[in-house]
Amino acid sequence: MEQHSWVLEGTAEITVDRTAPTVREGDRLRFRLRGPSHSHRPGPRRTRYALMTVLP
């Protein structure tokens, strides 16, 4: 499966394969989902994001 995350507001850290890039407002992250993933809001500010999982 493939996962697409688009940050609409705030900042998110999305951990995939032991890597946790910081994704900021307006950024998108796309990756193959081969194992567990985790998202985290690194600060006190509200975060909104869209998450889509699709077949590649």
Side-chain angles (χ1 to χ4, degrees), residues 32-53:
R32 289 283 176 118
L33 192 57
R34 295 188 173 112
S37 66
H38 174 78
S39 61
H40 167 75
R41 181 187 64 193
R45 190 171 167 214
R46 177 172 113 160
T47 299
R48 290 185 321 126
Y49 64 95
L51 175 68
M52 291 144 283
T53 303

Side-chain angles (χ1 to χ4, degrees), residues 5-14 20-27 39-49:
S5 299
W6 179 18
V7 178
L8 305 170
E9 180 182 346
T11 303
E13 289 177 354
I14 301 173
T22 299
V23 188
R24 292 179 170 73
E25 190 171 315
D27 291 344
S39 61
H40 167 75
R41 181 187 64 193
R45 190 171 167 214
R46 177 172 113 160
T47 299
R48 290 185 321 126
Y49 64 95

